[in-house]
Amino acid sequence: MYIAMNRFKVQNGSEADFEAVWKNRDSSLAEMKGFREFHLLRGPVNETEGYTLFASHTVWASQDDFVAWTKSENFRAAHRNVGTTKVHYLGHPQFEGFSVVEGA
């Protein structure tokens, strides 16, 4: 199993717009081989730096399945409108990928 996460620092005041982008997107993840589940996670607010931390969390059967998604037309279509929303980010998303330690 493979878990892929992107962390987003969303400027305070843009949280509702950010969540709306994810809730209203035309996702085709379920069509992809090896896709298991998706969650959008809302983390803590950092008042000092002015952002709320979010993470997209996907579970895949394997890292190969995830990599195939990133090279697919479905991936390109899902990211086609990035940067055209009202959401204000602090920096670029930070990717983290994890292989599950079986039996632990």
Side-chain angles (χ1 to χ4, degrees):
M1 187 180 342
Y2 186 74
I3 297 173
M5 298 177 66
N6 275 298
R7 292 174 177 253
F8 302 87
K9 292 180 179 179
V10 176
Q11 185 176 358
N12 289 350
S14 285
E15 296 92 344
D17 289 331
F18 179 78
E19 290 178 10
V21 167
W22 288 89
K23 290 176 183 178
N24 299 315
R25 75 192 192 291
D26 185 17
S27 176
S28 58
L29 281 172
E31 300 171 9
M32 298 301 299
K33 175 184 177 288
F35 173 75
R36 297 294 183 252
E37 59 186 89
F38 170 85
H39 300 280
L40 181 63
L41 309 172
R42 184 180 189 142
V45 175
N46 184 321
E47 292 292 348
T48 305
E49 295 184 29
Y51 70 85
T52 299
L53 184 64
F54 284 86
S56 63
H57 177 274
T58 53
V59 179
W60 297 85
S62 69
Q63 184 174 0
D64 288 342
D65 290 331
F66 169 74
V67 170
W69 150 248
T70 66
K71 296 178 179 179
S72 71
E73 179 56 38
N74 290 8
F75 178 88
R76 285 187 288 284
H79 295 84
R80 191 164 285 133
N81 295 323
V82 171
T84 63
T85 67
K86 297 185 291 184
V87 179
H88 297 282
Y89 301 94
L90 299 181
H92 294 286
Q94 178 186 2
F95 175 77
E96 297 175 320
F98 300 90
S99 296
V100 172
V101 177
E102 299 296 335

